[in-house]
C-alpha cells in the first residue's frame, strides 16, 4: 500500500498576549493617525472614515501614513513615528 504524506498548513504561532490600550472617552483635541496599507481601496476607505469622523469631532491634528507594501509589516521607524505623533490610529484593508 502506498502512503501519502499530508502536511498541516496551520503551523504553530507563538506569541505573548498583549493588553489592549484603554478606550478613549472623547476624540476632541486628540491627534488622529490614519495608516494606509497600500491596497487598492484603503485610501478611499480611510478618507471616508476621516471625513465622517471630522464632522462630529474636532481633532487636534489628522496625520496620514502609508506602509511600503500591504504584504509587509510596517517599518519599525514608521511605527515609532505614528506612536510619537498620534493619540489614536485607524488602519484599514481596502480590498
Amino acid at each position: 500500500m502506498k502512503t501519502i504524506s499530508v502536511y498541516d498548513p496551520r503551523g504553530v504561532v507563538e506569541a505573548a498576549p498583549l493588553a489592549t490600550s484603554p478606550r478613549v472617552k472623547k476624540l476632541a483635541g486628540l491627534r488622529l493617525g490614519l495608516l494606509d496599507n497600500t491596497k487598492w481601496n484603503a485610501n478611499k476607505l480611510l478618507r471616508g472614515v476621516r471625513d465622517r469622523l471630522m464632522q462630529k469631532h474636532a481633532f487636534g491634528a489628522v496625520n496620514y501614513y502609508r506602509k511600503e507594501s500591504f504584504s509587509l509589516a510596517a517599518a519599525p521607524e514608521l511605527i515609532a513615528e505614528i506612536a510619537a505623533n498620534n493619540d489614536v490610529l485607524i488602519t484599514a484593508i481596502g480590498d
Side-chain angles (χ1 to χ4, degrees):
M1 177 180 281
K2 187 175 181 179
T3 61
I4 299 173
S5 298
V6 177
Y7 297 96
D8 184 349
R10 294 175 292 178
V12 176
V13 176
E14 295 181 20
L18 298 173
T20 56
S21 297
R23 188 175 287 238
V24 297
K25 302 221 185 292
K26 63 179 187 170
L27 295 174
L30 296 182
R31 300 166 298 166
L32 171 65
L34 301 165
L35 177 59
D36 182 338
N37 73 345
T38 68
K39 281 208 162 193
W40 186 256
N41 288 312
N43 185 351
K44 182 178 180 180
L45 177 61
L46 286 170
R47 284 184 314 201
V49 169
R50 176 204 61 202
D51 293 347
R52 297 284 295 271
L53 286 172
M54 288 178 69
Q55 290 174 359
K56 295 183 178 184
H57 307 283
F59 292 103
V62 177
N63 302 304
Y64 196 88
Y65 304 92
R66 281 179 62 105
K67 288 182 11 169
E68 290 293 321
S69 169
F70 64 85
S71 64
L72 300 173
E77 300 82 16
L78 178 59
I79 294 171
E81 179 182 348
I82 291 169
N85 296 313
N86 298 279
D87 301 303
V88 293
L89 177 75
I90 297 174
T91 189
I93 297 172
D95 283 341

